[in-house]
Amino acid sequence: MCIKFIFRHDLLILQLNFLDLTADIQFLPGVGPKRATLLKTELSISSVEDLLSCYPYKYIDRSRFYQIKEINTDASYVQLRGKIANIQKVGVGAKQRLSVIFYDETGKIELVWFKGIRYVLEKLKSDTLYIVFGKPSVFNEIYNIVHPEIEPATAENQKLALGWQAHYNTSEKMKRNFLNSAALRKIMHTIVSGLTARLPETLPEYLINRYNLINKHDAVVNIHFPQTLDLLEKAQHRLKFEELFYIQLDILLQAKVRSRKYKGFVFSVVGNYFNTFYKKHLPFELTNAQKRVVREIRIDVGSGKQMNRLLQGDVGSGKTLVALLSMLIAIDNGFQAALMAPTEILATQHAHTLLEITQGLGINIALLTGSTKKKERELILSKLQSGEIHSIIGTHALIEDTVVFSNLGLVIIDEQHRFGVAQRAQLWKKNTTLPHVLVMTATPIPRTLAMTVYGDLDVSVIDELPPGRKPVQTYHYFDTKRAAMNGFVKQQIELGRQIYIVYPLIQESEKMDFRNLEEGFEHAKSAFPEYKISMVHGKMRTAEKDREMEKFVRGETQIMVATTVIEVGVNVPNASVMIIEGAERFGLSQLHQLRGRVGRGADQSYCILLTSHKLSHETRQRLEVITRTNDGFEISEADMRLRGPGDMNDTRQSGMPFDLKIANLAQDAQLLQYVRNIAAGLLDKDPLLETLENQLLALQIKKIAKNKANWSLIS
Ligand code: ADP
Ligand code: MG
């Protein structure tokens, strides 16, 4: 057993000598099969290369050893060298702790463990020199450090300890198995100190020179074991540059390939349907922003290129009308159009709205959802195939294989962040030539994110609300004040308005949430016995859901108690109060979406956020932002700042095709713009990366492509 192990180590050194970056990490000293599995499942690391590109998230200055007499409570972290004495277990049971005296020539300090006592006991020996690192505090008038890092002061460890020390993110499961940041650092050290050749360069020489970057080898070594602060910064810059550069190069290259490969349908005329609608049916004057966007779309679909456009417009800005006008252009040119919405409620509502305002125009609009009855479905499918239906509105049901079009020319996706990448892609495969694509979102995306996630989409923005809208007034109350609010609710209902009360529904505790909702319903019934109340939630059967929703839309019920199923798109202009229970459990963009359900008519509207008294710092900041501003872009920027782009739920749903390892979209916006320009300039000269000097780029891009889903049709 022992011999085998040593043999493996030899094997490893051999591999590193050849600098095989694809080598399996399980044969590295300090790894082994169990840790290798953990690294694979927790951090997706399986090769030496993966490991080297697992970058630290912070660095701590451990550039020197302190003497114990220097310790005072101002010092945040100290690193000490000394020996231990007096190992003692204090207390019993759950309150037990391990107390150890640690000393050097200048004094002594107590080290304390509450957890992992047995492990520490096994490890500590009284005649060994140790390095201790931690944050000192005072207890019973003596200095102590709780749960310090401690390791034997071997020559290697001393070398490792001194300097800017890298810290790595590890999961709870890894920590439980003692694969913590320090352990990862040791493994990194084995690799880095075992490197006998230089790491291969991943950027062309000419770019490195032109943009003053340090080489890959030095960057990787210094990102894990910084020699100086200056080198650390240069290493970070180089690696962020590389990461963002390749993402942009990939996106822009795909766009070039696509526009060469796919011609778009030409919608050359603006015909009868569009003009008649515009002159006779339009219920109100378009806002200037709507006009501008319609013009942008008209130019796009007439150009011979396949349109790939993202329409961003805050809640209530009137995207539906733009969708309809685009559909009419398609129909004028003999094509069919499809509008896909994320929920049945929303699809149904779109269908009603559009049927109503196009009445008498002579176009055929149909609705297809999961709950369309079999007979009706068959009829719709056959009319769709024959071309009799001009425009279909629906949910995911639209992407099923049985849905065949006669000549699909335009696909519109509403609230697109709700759909997965694969779902969206399926819809635009429904014609031999790719149809034009318009995706609409009311979740404004910060510019940097848009550039990354939707890098090659053209973006239109409706940055103006229809006239006469009053900004929604937003207030935060603790839920102990709920009763006081009832008076206000009554007042609003007496004025003829309608009220939403929304409860959070978060999957992990679905049962409890559901009880909250039902209790809320009972509560509303007893607080407002004189009014009629609807309730809608995700578990209801569709028909029932629709019926309840319909009653509220028609004004037969005054109060709607619901989960977030009503978050997106629902339009009841008469509703003027949005009450959000458990508001601390919602993200910023979700709160903004929910608030967008009111303020859609001419009345002053209100949004009331109820929370418990216990609020984290971050929650307070969220509440501050949402009560201060109605500007969706400002809110999304704040959201990204508070949560970090990696955590943005919507982003993840929109299928961000990569994880950023080192760059941060919130902090590195400028660098992102900078490298995007570099990538664009480079592709202008060498559109398909065919020149000799760009061969390395082409190779790297191929490697990226292998590691991601087929994104080329979609982004
Ligand atoms: P969203 O962009 O959130 O999808 P909608 O398309 O649902 O917004 O429009 C919100 C409301 O504003 C609807 O009641 C719609 O009829 C109305 N609306 C849209 N455009 C205009 C306009 N130019 N003038 C007045 N009201 C408009
Ligand atoms: Mg909408």
Side-chain angles (χ1 to χ4, degrees):
M1 171 79 192
C2 193
I3 292 172
K4 210 162 149 195
F5 211 22
I6 292 169
F7 178 61
R8 280 186 177 173
H9 285 200
D10 286 352
L11 199 74
L12 153 90
I13 307 285
L14 223 68
Q15 283 174 336
L16 280 180
N17 279 343
F18 286 102
L19 205 72
D20 182 1
L21 294 176
T22 59
D24 188 336
I25 51 169
Q26 78 160 289
F27 302 118
L28 290 177
V31 182
K34 191 172 161 211
R35 284 183 159 187
T37 309
L38 266 177
L39 285 167
K40 172 92 192 132
T41 52
E42 299 295 293
L43 300 181
S44 308
I45 290 174
S46 49
S47 67
V48 171
E49 185 175 21
D50 295 341
L51 203 49
L52 283 175
S53 54
C54 168
Y55 301 126
Y57 73 98
K58 71 168 182 189
Y59 297 84
I60 289 180
D61 183 5
R62 289 179 67 166
S63 46
R64 73 174 185 110
F65 287 109
Y66 283 74
Q67 294 186 314
I68 288 180
K69 69 169 186 203
E70 289 179 89
I71 293 179
N72 58 52
T73 40
D74 299 341
S76 58
Y77 283 89
V78 293
Q79 172 160 263
L80 308 165
R81 193 167 32 182
K83 293 187 176 176
I84 58 171
N86 242 4
I87 305 178
Q88 212 182 353
K89 276 202 229 174
V90 188
V92 284
K95 286 207 182 114
Q96 194 173 53
R97 68 187 155 97
L98 185 68
S99 162
V100 174
I101 298 301
F102 181 77
Y103 64 94
D104 66 8
E105 316 77 68
T106 69
K108 59 185 181 180
I109 181 172
E110 186 192 9
L111 307 179
V112 181
W113 282 267
F114 296 102
K115 281 189 217 154
I117 293 180
R118 186 139 47 101
Y119 178 77
V120 179
L121 269 178
E122 269 170 31
K123 220 173 65 167
L124 293 185
K125 294 187 188 65
S126 56
D127 52 356
T128 313
L129 192 64
Y130 284 105
I131 300 169
V132 158
F133 180 75
K135 195 173 156 65
S137 54
V138 185
F139 186 70
N140 281 346
E141 288 172 29
I142 73 162
Y143 284 111
N144 68 33
I145 300 179
V146 177
H147 289 168
E149 281 180 35
I150 180 163
E151 54 189 5
T154 58
E156 196 203 346
N157 280 341
Q158 298 210 39
K159 208 171 115 203
L160 244 173
L162 284 180
W164 285 84
Q165 190 180 67
H167 284 244
Y168 300 88
N169 274 320
T170 55
S171 69
E172 280 310 313
K173 192 166 169 196
M174 290 170 72
K175 288 192 188 100
R176 274 203 304 280
N177 287 281
F178 307 105
L179 188 51
N180 55 11
S181 176
L184 260 182
R185 191 163 56 241
K186 279 229 165 99
I187 296 170
M188 293 293 184
H189 192 250
T190 308
I191 302 180
V192 170
S193 58
L195 290 174
T196 51
R198 296 182 69 74
L199 291 168
E201 188 47 70
T202 45
L203 281 172
E205 190 77 24
Y206 80 94
L207 287 180
I208 293 186
N209 293 336
R210 189 179 303 162
Y211 299 105
N212 251 325
L213 304 170
I214 65 171
N215 63 55
K216 178 74 172 230
H217 183 87
D218 291 344
V220 171
V221 170
N222 277 284
I223 207 77
H224 295 294
F225 301 97
Q227 284 160 11
T228 63
L229 200 54
D230 179 53
L231 273 169
L232 172 59
E233 279 163 6
K234 288 195 166 113
Q236 285 172 323
H237 176 71
R238 142 85 207 215
L239 295 171
K240 284 180 180 184
F241 181 107
E242 174 173 353
E243 179 166 57
L244 296 173
F245 172 76
Y246 275 116
I247 289 170
Q248 291 304 318
L249 190 67
D250 184 44
I251 288 171
L252 296 171
L253 183 67
Q254 297 305 337
K256 284 235 185 310
V257 170
R258 182 170 58 198
S259 72
R260 282 176 184 222
K261 198 155 139 195
Y262 304 111
K263 292 272 161 289
F265 293 124
V266 182
F267 295 176
S268 52
V269 295
V270 169
N272 226 352
Y273 290 127
F274 184 98
N275 286 328
T276 312
F277 178 83
Y278 206 93
K279 282 187 205 123
K280 303 221 172 101
H281 294 253
L282 202 59
F284 24 59
E285 172 89 6
L286 292 185
T287 62
N288 286 328
Q290 283 170 319
K291 282 184 195 159
R292 186 187 66 238
V293 170
V294 171
R295 207 177 313 127
E296 284 166 355
I297 291 170
R298 266 169 55 177
I299 293 171
D300 254 14
V301 295
S303 71
K305 268 190 353 192
Q306 182 239 350
M307 174 171 79
N308 236 314
R309 188 168 279 280
L310 171 69
L311 171 55
Q312 289 196 37
D314 215 340
V315 282
S317 60
K319 293 184 292 296
T320 318
L321 207 55
V322 172
L324 174 63
L325 289 166
S326 315
M327 290 166 118
L328 293 177
I329 299 176
I331 300 168
D332 270 336
N333 287 274
F335 289 91
Q336 290 167 302
L339 169 60
M340 183 158 81
T343 65
E344 200 142 339
I345 291 178
L346 190 52
T348 309
Q349 190 180 292
H350 276 329
H352 286 172
T353 311
L354 299 191
L355 277 170
E356 202 177 300
I357 56 176
T358 56
Q359 225 172 41
L361 194 63
I363 57 169
N364 251 325
I365 298 180
L367 171 69
L368 184 70
T369 71
S371 57
T372 307
K373 296 268 161 32
K374 190 160 174 266
K375 261 223 174 96
E376 199 190 341
R377 167 184 304 267
E378 277 164 8
L379 193 65
I380 290 176
L381 291 181
S382 87
K383 284 183 175 174
L384 212 50
Q385 194 161 11
S386 71
E388 207 176 314
I389 289 176
H390 300 109
S391 170
I392 183 103
I393 296 166
T395 53
H396 305 88
L398 293 184
I399 61 183
E400 280 164 24
D401 286 340
T402 47
V403 181
V404 180
F405 291 84
S406 145
N407 194 12
L408 181 64
L410 170 70
V411 168
I412 301 176
I413 304 207
D414 196 15
E415 308 298 349
Q416 64 79 36
H417 62 282
R418 297 256 149 180
F419 290 99
V421 170
Q423 288 172 328
R424 283 183 269 154
Q426 271 170 11
L427 198 48
W428 35 107
K429 284 194 207 132
K430 289 196 182 278
N431 204 344
T432 44
T433 295
L434 278 188
H436 295 298
V437 175
L438 179 68
V439 294
M440 311 198 292
T441 180
T443 307
I445 307 157
R447 221 183 113 60
T448 50
L449 208 55
M451 258 200 284
T452 325
V453 184
Y454 311 106
D456 67 323
L457 282 188
D458 296 308
V459 179
S460 289
V461 181
I462 305 187
D463 49 6
E464 180 187 1
L465 292 178
R469 296 276 173 82
K470 298 191 182 71
V472 179
Q473 292 177 14
T474 306
Y475 302 96
H476 166 221
Y477 291 112
F478 291 115
D479 47 19
T480 41
K481 288 267 172 64
R482 197 187 279 113
M485 212 177 54
N486 292 347
F488 172 72
V489 168
K490 274 189 190 151
Q491 215 179 24
Q492 286 289 310
I493 298 178
E494 290 306 317
L495 287 171
R497 311 282 130 73
Q498 289 165 284
I499 316 292
Y500 289 105
I501 306 177
V502 173
Y503 285 82
L505 192 65
I506 296 171
Q507 239 135 30
E508 294 112 61
S509 52
E510 221 172 276
K511 263 201 191 122
M512 199 190 95
D513 292 326
F514 192 65
R515 209 181 59 218
N516 284 348
L517 178 76
E518 289 201 311
E519 271 173 19
F521 183 56
E522 293 306 319
H523 169 85
K525 274 206 291 205
S526 64
F528 308 106
E530 64 273 51
Y531 303 125
K532 296 215 170 59
I533 304 174
S534 289
M535 176 163 76
V536 169
H537 57 79
K539 288 256 166 74
M540 269 161 116
R541 256 183 284 132
T542 316
E544 202 184 345
K545 209 160 41 181
D546 284 349
R547 208 167 47 236
E548 288 294 302
M549 200 63 220
E550 255 320 290
K551 281 201 262 178
F552 190 66
V553 171
R554 284 200 298 264
E556 290 164 21
T557 54
Q558 289 80 41
I559 299 174
M560 164 63 79
V561 176
T563 61
T564 48
V565 291
I566 58 116
E567 172 189 336
V568 162
V570 172
N571 187 31
V572 182
N574 189 48
S576 68
V577 181
M578 166 63 65
I579 296 169
I580 303 177
E581 295 271 359
E584 67 268 49
R585 292 172 64 182
F586 292 93
L588 261 183
S589 63
Q590 230 180 347
L591 289 174
H592 182 62
Q593 281 286 336
L594 283 170
R595 176 169 62 185
R597 297 311 108 219
V598 295
R600 303 175 82 84
D603 303 317
Q604 178 61 56
S605 294
Y606 306 88
C607 176
I608 298 171
L609 308 169
L610 294 173
T611 70
S612 67
H613 280 271
K614 264 213 235 136
L615 297 177
S616 70
H617 178 65
E618 202 213 295
T619 306
R620 282 173 201 281
Q621 283 181 298
R622 271 204 312 262
L623 292 170
E624 187 278 320
V625 172
I626 197 82
T627 48
R628 173 170 49 80
T629 179
N630 277 296
D631 179 340
F633 280 92
E634 193 180 338
I635 289 167
S636 79
E637 297 277 354
D639 199 22
M640 186 155 110
R641 217 173 40 241
L642 289 175
R643 285 198 290 164
D647 286 339
M648 288 185 81
N649 217 0
D650 302 332
T651 325
R652 204 168 286 153
Q653 281 184 16
S654 72
M656 193 136 133
F658 44 77
D659 285 323
L660 291 175
K661 289 191 161 77
I662 188 163
N664 174 320
L665 293 182
Q667 286 157 17
D668 301 319
Q670 252 183 334
L671 183 62
L672 180 67
Q673 183 66 59
Y674 179 69
V675 300
R676 183 179 172 87
N677 292 343
I678 293 171
L682 194 148
L683 287 175
D684 278 345
K685 289 204 205 95
D686 183 10
L688 300 176
L689 300 180
E690 288 162 330
T691 62
L692 197 58
E693 64 171 8
N694 287 332
Q695 281 325 286
L696 182 56
L697 296 178
L699 208 74
Q700 290 292 113
I701 290 284
K702 254 198 209 134
K703 219 166 129 185
I704 294 175
K706 253 203 291 186
N707 293 330
K708 64 171 193 184
N710 183 5
W711 183 246
S712 58
L713 292 179
I714 303 140
S715 55

